[in-house]
Every structure is written in structure tokens, then in C-alpha cells.
Amino acid sequence: QQTTQKLPKALVTPVQGIANSFDNEQTIKDYNTAMGGYQTLKNIGVSTSSPTDDQAFIYAFAKIMDPNSVVREGEYNTVQKYSQSWAQSFGFNMARYLANKAFLSKDAKQKMFKTLSSKINALNSQYQNVFDEYARRINNLTGQTNGADYLTDYSKAFNDPLALFQ
């Protein structure tokens, strides 16, 4: 991110305002939350046999699918109510969970990754559209072509997110 030192004083505050607005966009917050989940999944991988890894895997999956969700006690009831169909979809076996054994098979995790692929594509596209729009706004304000330099490019923290799903 470039500093605003080279800008005329009259433009510093408006450019900083645009950059701050970018950081506070819900799309950007959702992107960062979901991509944090992606990093977790990438680190866990599909070959682990740890039940705690499986729990983290499910949590990260849920955060990517709905970055604004917060799992509270009430949501557990909903999960319990619908877990049978979800369990069958992803190979979840409650007996293995209760016995403190891994409950997601490698195949189930690979299927979950496949499901996430379209979500990650959408998040990347949304992020890039917002990033480009804010850069355009800065360019229009300053008359320059380097507006993106004044924005934090959060995508740089995540190396090729789609590589996980290939």
C-alpha cells in the first residue's frame, strides 16, 4: 500500500477515506474471513485422521460458505436437525465422532473441496470487482492511474486459492 505523501494535501483525506471505506466493505470482510478458512483447510488437507482436524475442517468449511455465520448453541440444534442429510452428503459418521475418531473420510473432504470451488471463485470475483471499483474511484479523484496502490490488497496474503481445489 502506497503512502499518500506524494498527493497534494487537498487529496490526502479523501483518498484515505476511500481506502478506509474499502477496508470496511462487507465484501472485503467476508473475503478475508472466508480466505482465513481456506488457509485452515489448506493446512489440514484431506489426509488427516484426527477428529479435531475434522472439527476444524467443518468449521472452516462453514465459514467459507457463510463468512458472517457465528456458531452458537441455537445453531447446534439446527445442525443436529439436518445433520442426517448433511452427514450422508459428506460421509459424516456420528458414531465415529462420538467415539473420538476421525469422522470425515478423505473422499468426503475432497467432495467438500469441490463444493467450495464455486464459492471461492465467486468470492475472488466479488473481491476483485470491489477492489477495482475503489481503485477507479481513487483514480477519478486524483487524476492518476495508480489508485490500487492506495488500497490494501488482501488477496496477496492468499497464494492461488483455487489451487487447493485442483
Side-chain angles (χ1 to χ4, degrees), residues 31-162:
Y31 175 84
N32 284 327
T33 298
M35 297 316 285
Y38 152 75
Q39 289 296 105
T40 298
L41 292 178
K42 183 177 176 182
N43 291 336
I44 292 172
V46 296
S47 298
T48 182
S49 61
S50 164
T52 55
D53 283 349
D54 284 356
Q55 290 172 343
F57 197 97
I58 289 173
Y59 180 80
F61 177 86
K63 290 307 280 183
I64 292 170
M65 294 305 288
D66 186 2
N68 291 310
S69 69
V70 178
V71 180
R72 296 189 177 114
E73 274 188 62
E75 283 80 18
Y76 282 105
N77 292 333
T78 302
V79 170
Q80 184 178 24
K81 181 178 177 182
Y82 294 104
S83 66
Q84 189 62 27
S85 61
W86 188 84
Q88 291 170 345
S89 297
F90 292 110
F92 179 87
N93 183 316
M94 189 59 124
R96 285 189 282 179
Y97 174 73
L98 295 173
N100 198 25
K101 295 181 182 176
F103 50 87
L104 291 175
S105 68
K106 183 176 182 177
D107 181 61
K109 291 176 194 173
Q110 289 170 332
K111 287 176 182 173
M112 291 170 80
F113 278 139
K114 186 174 181 185
T115 298
L116 290 176
S117 179
S118 60
K119 180 67 173 183
I120 293 294
N121 275 323
L123 287 169
N124 281 326
S125 178
Q126 291 168 352
Y127 172 85
Q128 196 58 55
N129 287 338
V130 172
F131 184 85
D132 292 346
E133 177 59 20
Y134 273 81
R136 186 195 64 77
R137 287 177 56 195
I138 292 171
N139 288 341
N140 286 346
L141 178 68
T142 64
Q144 299 176 355
T145 59
N146 63 342
D149 292 347
Y150 297 100
L151 301 173
T152 302
D153 188 355
Y154 295 103
S155 70
K156 300 292 185 209
F158 308 107
N159 297 327
D160 193 15
L162 295 177

